[in-house]
Amino acid sequence: MRTNDFQDHIYEKYDGSNFQLRLLEVGCGVGNAAIPLLDINPSLFITCIDFAASAIDILSNHIKEKNISRMTAHVCCIVNNPLPVPPCSMDLVLCMFVLSAIAPECQLTAIKQLSGALKVGGKLLFRDYGRYDEAELRFRKGSKMDEHFYVRQDGTCSYFFDLDVLKEICSEAGLRMQEGRYILRQYANRQQHKARHRVWIHAVFVKQ
């Protein structure tokens, strides 16, 4: 998962001083997005969380083996568990393709948790699936659980966001949209002579 579009936000406060920029990454997996960020900003300290204990075990071992002092990793469900950081302590929260796996009725609870971790003026950096992404259109009728919410064969779920709906949810959690747009991508499969049309949402929210 690429973090390029968020690099300006992650780098902007680095001035070569002793300032510490604190980032919470939600759904970190084994750290493929978080670890490279440490090289972008030497003042960055990252707290990584993921629902999957197996992923956190791998990341924790990597942190230990490489003696990474600016990163910690924790098992955490952002709906049911308290976050492993103090309230109002984070400058940034990175949430990429995480909220879509949460049932719509629980999404506000999750966003409120993340908002609570941010300092006033802190930012939620968000990317996830948008309405009518090809993945949504490929779901069979029996997979639909609710409007724009589907279950896969492996039991995992996927919700496809509308930008205005996302803005409303985040507003209820005390977050104001600073940036928000749909990202449209087309990928060609030359062997099958087909094109895949992807729709993602990119957004940045600021805590009020």
Side-chain angles (χ1 to χ4, degrees):
M1 291 181 285
R2 298 178 59 187
T3 57
N4 293 7
D5 288 344
F6 297 124
Q7 286 189 7
D8 288 346
H9 299 282
I10 294 168
Y11 194 82
E12 63 182 354
K13 292 186 178 181
Y14 176 60
D15 59 6
S17 67
N18 292 324
F19 174 83
Q20 293 183 355
L21 184 70
R22 299 201 170 272
L23 180 147
L24 173 67
E25 189 193 0
V26 185
C28 63
V30 298
N32 292 336
I35 292 172
L37 297 179
L38 296 173
D39 294 328
I40 294 174
N41 189 338
S43 69
L44 186 64
F45 287 73
I46 304 178
T47 301
C48 298
I49 61 173
D50 199 287
F51 178 78
S54 57
I56 293 299
D57 284 344
I58 293 172
L59 179 55
S60 296
N61 288 334
H62 181 80
I63 291 171
K64 184 177 180 179
E65 290 172 1
K66 299 297 183 180
N67 194 26
I68 301 174
S69 61
R70 294 187 287 127
M71 177 180 288
T72 61
H74 311 265
V75 177
C76 181
C77 169
I78 60 173
V79 174
N80 297 316
N81 304 138
L83 299 177
V85 297
C88 304
S89 62
M90 295 288 109
D91 298 288
L92 301 168
V93 172
L94 180 62
C95 185
M96 297 177 62
F97 300 98
V98 172
L99 202 63
S100 55
I102 297 173
E105 63 268 20
C106 298
Q107 289 173 0
L108 178 58
T109 298
I111 290 293
K112 283 183 175 179
Q113 276 248 74
L114 302 183
S115 178
L118 282 169
K119 301 173 182 177
V120 173
K123 296 178 180 179
L124 170 64
L125 311 178
F126 182 93
R127 178 165 292 183
D128 221 318
Y129 300 109
R131 293 275 168 92
Y132 308 114
D133 176 71
E134 183 165 319
E136 178 178 12
L137 301 179
R138 289 166 65 94
F139 274 110
R140 297 179 179 178
K141 184 177 292 186
S143 300
K144 189 172 184 178
M145 300 178 68
D146 204 341
E147 288 299 314
H148 305 286
F149 185 56
Y150 303 82
V151 61
R152 301 184 182 92
Q153 289 185 346
D154 62 2
T156 59
C157 299
S158 190
Y159 181 79
F160 297 84
F161 286 93
D162 175 85
L163 193 56
D164 289 334
V165 171
L166 177 65
K167 182 178 179 181
E168 182 178 341
I169 293 171
C170 289
S171 178
E172 289 188 51
L175 300 168
R176 175 183 58 83
M177 183 182 285
Q178 183 183 68
E179 301 175 18
R181 67 179 186 272
Y182 291 98
I183 297 176
L184 307 179
R185 292 284 189 271
Q186 179 173 306
Y187 297 95
N189 186 322
R190 295 180 180 178
Q191 289 184 336
Q192 297 181 2
H193 303 289
K194 293 181 180 180
R196 298 190 67 194
H197 301 274
R198 307 311 307 266
V199 182
W200 300 315
I201 282 181
H202 165 93
V204 175
F205 296 89
V206 180
K207 184 174 179 178
Q208 302 300 289

